Amino acid sequence: MKGQAVRQVMKVVEAVNQITVTGMVLAAAPAGEYDRRIVLLTKERGKISAFARGARKPNSALVGVTSPFSFGEFTVYEGRTSYTLMSASISNYFQELRQDVEGAYYGFYFLELAGYYAREANDETELLRLLYQTFRALVNPKLPNRLIRCIYELRAVTVNGEGPQMFECVCCGDKEREMVFSVRRGGLVCRQCSGSVQDGRALHGSALYTLQYIVSSPIEKLYTFIVTDEVQAEVENVVTDYLAQYVGKQFKSLEILRVIAENENA
Ligand SMILES: [Zn+2]
């Protein structure tokens, strides 16, 4: 009788410590013989790592749901020091990326950048929304991957509070004068203040407008435009230099993307 009572209490405790979170699998790594450890970006708990018992057994219900890109609801048991995945209900596996090697590597890079920014117990609602919309864009054949990458990178930096000032001079706040863009100053600098700026570059109107749109539009409206090759090149230069200055981390998935891009251009 006593054993049964204890078991019942344990069940109650387990139920109390179970939570369902909305999120996306950022990474998965083998653990032990049959298990997996996954990293989730969640709305409710920020970035968490969870243990998925038996997730590498072929008939396990946790096989597919613990693959990177899976987005949905995850029920986890919250232990004292770690989470254990109990079950999941996936609303989007972004399966199209399984047949699209280049798209998949863009996807891995987007996950890696999100993982770099996300913190445990932090409110990452916006980053998760951005990531989800970015993956929807990635499986949309009408949108070029290079543009998606620029939009995602600049907006991810912005969500993290390090985005460039694109609407007024970072030195004096002027909005009217002609501006140059300075990576080192973190945004626009007006002609009057630009004397001491060494890396100022003039931007064409449409490139400026594109950058303004990326940092300020609602996340759901981000992937609703395409640009000419000239604008793409200009925006890409700004974003690449900006990330080199403010992120400054070498991402593994980015190395692979570089190789793919080089092969394309060869
Ligand atoms: Zn100024």
Side-chain angles (χ1 to χ4, degrees):
M1 271 309 279
K2 208 174 168 192
Q4 202 181 355
V6 168
R7 272 198 297 279
Q8 265 166 5
V9 169
M10 290 300 287
K11 261 190 190 159
V12 170
V13 168
E14 228 169 73
V16 165
N17 287 340
Q18 255 182 40
I19 53 161
T20 298
V21 293
T22 302
M24 189 164 184
V25 179
L26 296 183
E33 206 172 335
Y34 298 113
D35 312 323
R36 247 182 204 165
R37 183 163 287 285
I38 60 169
V39 179
L40 284 172
L41 178 66
T42 73
K43 197 164 91 179
E44 295 81 358
R45 300 287 168 104
K47 182 170 76 170
I48 62 170
S49 135
F51 187 70
R53 190 163 286 123
R56 280 158 66 224
K57 284 184 184 163
N59 56 353
S60 163
L62 298 181
V63 176
V65 303
T66 53
S67 298
F69 310 158
S70 296
F71 179 96
E73 295 198 321
F74 298 83
T75 300
V76 293
Y77 169 74
E78 190 176 10
R80 267 195 307 168
T81 55
S82 66
Y83 293 92
T84 304
L85 180 66
M86 313 299 283
S87 63
S89 165
I90 300 301
S91 54
N92 202 334
Y93 288 98
F94 295 103
Q95 246 156 344
E96 297 91 331
L97 296 175
R98 286 183 196 165
Q99 268 85 48
D100 173 10
V101 177
E102 189 192 299
Y105 274 104
Y106 273 98
F108 282 123
Y109 168 55
F110 296 160
L111 296 182
E112 213 182 334
L113 187 60
Y116 170 74
Y117 275 135
R119 301 274 175 275
E120 184 154 0
N122 203 22
D123 181 357
E124 304 291 4
T125 308
E126 243 192 303
L127 187 60
L128 183 65
R129 272 172 59 216
L130 173 63
L131 195 59
Y132 181 72
Q133 291 300 331
T134 303
F135 270 77
R136 293 208 24 198
L138 201 52
V139 296
N140 178 351
K142 288 182 194 142
L143 295 169
N145 290 343
R146 278 172 60 195
L147 176 63
I148 296 170
R149 175 179 163 179
C150 282
I151 295 173
Y152 174 70
E153 286 179 330
L154 189 60
R155 191 56 182 255
V157 177
T158 304
V159 166
N160 197 49
E162 292 178 314
Q165 170 54 263
M166 293 310 303
F167 293 94
E168 57 182 53
C169 172
V170 292
C171 305
C172 73
D174 180 83
K175 292 184 173 78
E176 306 302 324
R177 290 184 205 111
E178 212 182 313
M179 306 274 179
V180 291
F181 182 84
S182 162
V183 168
R184 268 188 244 158
R185 293 290 168 93
L188 298 178
V189 181
C190 78
R191 288 287 178 198
Q192 203 157 306
C193 300
S194 66
S196 60
V197 171
Q198 276 146 26
D199 69 335
R201 61 181 102 184
L203 295 174
H204 287 106
S206 39
L208 174 63
Y209 178 77
T210 304
L211 292 164
Q212 286 175 330
Y213 187 83
I214 296 171
V215 298
S216 65
S217 89
I219 284 173
E220 282 68 26
K221 298 252 164 74
L222 269 178
Y223 297 102
T224 53
F225 67 94
I226 52 171
V227 293
T228 62
D229 290 349
E230 291 76 33
V231 173
Q232 170 66 35
E234 202 175 338
V235 167
E236 201 167 79
N237 276 334
V238 170
V239 174
T240 303
D241 293 349
Y242 197 82
L243 258 80
Q245 173 92 22
Y246 293 95
V247 180
K249 176 188 155 57
Q250 297 296 317
F251 294 99
K252 263 186 273 170
S253 45
L254 209 49
E255 289 301 317
I256 299 165
L257 263 185
R258 212 167 281 146
V259 173
I260 293 175
E262 273 165 19
N263 287 342
E264 257 178 16
N265 296 333

